[in-house]
Amino acid sequence: MAGILNGAKAYQAQARVDMNQLVQTYAPLVKRIALHLKARLPACVELDDLIQSGMLGLMDAVSHFEDGHGAAFETYASIRIRGAMIDEMRKSDWAPRSVHQNTRSISAAMSKLSHELGREPKDTEIAAELGVDIDKYHQMLTDSSSSQMIGIEDLGVTDDVIAEGGDNTKDKLFETLATTKFKRALVEAIQKLPQREQQVLALYYDEELNLKEIGQVLDLSESRICQLLSQSMARLRSMLKDWSGN
């Protein structure tokens, strides 16, 4: 019996060491995601707060990850880390209700126009559908960008699901994102975007440039890049809102 107990204690001790090593190894991932997210948030949001909530997400990922899950740990951990940051920010949502309403209105207008026109609508067409001038529409996009903390990895589910979800929702989200069908649907949706918006997404998510750096590459203002990023995300949400994997 003593041998069994000692073996169990040794196993638990090794498990703790392995978990601590994983947390230390992937701590830089937490900071990278926090910096990436911070670039889209108001100045009042502290980077340290994002990192702190992200570390909790990382520890949660270490505790729940299964090697046979079919995806790399970093992919799984990234979703958990970002989700923890988003959950924390949602608890102290700074955006007025009107901003969230405008975000939904933009998405609805895009969806309606794309069906009517058989293509993705232009800025001016979306503004006209919303009954506002182009400057007002661009301001709505800027405000929307500050309130949208959802990354391209989270487009398979609605805001409400993410806001209400606990561990089960995150597990379901991971399974959704891991499917080949969703990835294919996302790629096809991105290919339908205007070329400039595709460039912004590629530089933001693939190259991990911030808005100022993307502006320098494309010779556009940081505010315009912010608008294009918000608009591209709204288009993708509209195109993928009915995705079911069937």
Side-chain angles (χ1 to χ4, degrees):
M1 180 64 70
I4 295 176
L5 290 176
N6 289 334
K9 290 180 180 179
Y11 175 81
Q12 292 173 351
Q14 183 59 46
R16 286 194 293 271
V17 170
D18 292 342
M19 289 181 64
N20 289 335
Q21 288 178 342
L22 273 176
V23 170
Q24 292 176 7
T25 299
Y26 287 94
L29 176 65
V30 174
K31 185 174 183 179
R32 187 164 73 246
I33 292 174
L35 288 168
H36 201 238
L37 189 58
K38 178 70 173 70
R40 298 181 61 186
L41 300 174
C44 61
V45 178
E46 296 289 339
L47 179 63
D48 287 345
D49 291 339
L50 291 175
I51 292 175
Q52 183 176 357
S53 57
M55 288 301 296
L56 294 176
L58 173 59
M59 289 187 286
D60 184 60
V62 170
S63 298
H64 290 85
F65 181 71
E66 299 176 5
D67 290 336
H69 217 303
F73 174 76
E74 184 169 343
T75 302
Y76 180 72
S78 295
I79 295 172
R80 291 277 188 170
I81 292 166
R82 185 177 288 103
M85 293 178 184
I86 290 172
D87 287 345
E88 183 61 30
M89 292 301 99
R90 285 188 183 281
K91 291 177 183 177
S92 55
D93 188 6
W94 60 84
R97 179 168 298 185
S98 60
V99 172
H100 294 296
Q101 292 174 338
N102 286 340
T103 299
R104 290 191 289 270
S105 296
I106 291 171
S107 183
M110 288 177 172
S111 180
K112 178 184 177 182
L113 289 172
S114 64
H115 281 94
E116 292 178 351
L117 301 173
R119 58 171 172 78
E120 286 303 304
K122 301 176 181 178
D123 289 29
T124 51
E125 294 169 332
I126 299 170
E129 177 65 26
L130 292 170
V132 300
D133 59 35
I134 192 65
D135 290 336
K136 174 62 176 177
Y137 171 60
H138 284 164
Q139 184 59 51
M140 290 168 66
L141 284 176
T142 299
D143 294 341
S144 176
S145 179
S146 295
S147 71
Q148 291 177 1
M149 296 174 291
I150 310 302
I152 198 168
E153 300 88 346
D154 304 315
L155 289 168
V157 295
T158 65
D159 284 353
D160 292 338
V161 170
I162 295 176
E164 297 172 0
D167 287 342
N168 291 338
T169 299
K170 291 187 178 71
D171 289 338
K172 189 174 181 180
L173 170 60
F174 176 76
E175 291 172 3
T176 298
L177 296 172
T179 63
T180 301
K181 287 184 178 180
F182 177 77
K183 292 177 181 178
R184 187 182 303 119
L186 178 57
V187 169
E188 291 175 354
I190 292 174
Q191 291 174 342
K192 293 178 182 178
L193 295 175
Q195 185 176 7
R196 181 52 58 86
E197 291 177 25
Q198 290 187 39
Q199 291 175 324
V200 171
L201 283 179
L203 291 171
Y204 188 75
Y205 287 102
D206 293 340
E207 302 300 327
E208 297 190 351
L209 300 184
N210 60 37
L211 302 185
K212 182 177 181 180
E213 292 168 337
I214 296 173
Q216 293 172 345
V217 172
L218 299 180
D219 195 23
L220 294 171
S221 68
E222 185 174 347
S223 62
R224 182 55 182 153
I225 296 299
C226 179
Q227 293 162 6
L228 287 171
L229 181 61
S230 180
Q231 185 166 262
S232 65
M233 293 298 293
R235 291 190 200 274
L236 291 175
R237 287 169 181 273
S238 175
M239 285 187 273
L240 295 170
K241 64 183 176 64
D242 295 326
W243 188 86
S244 64
N246 297 324

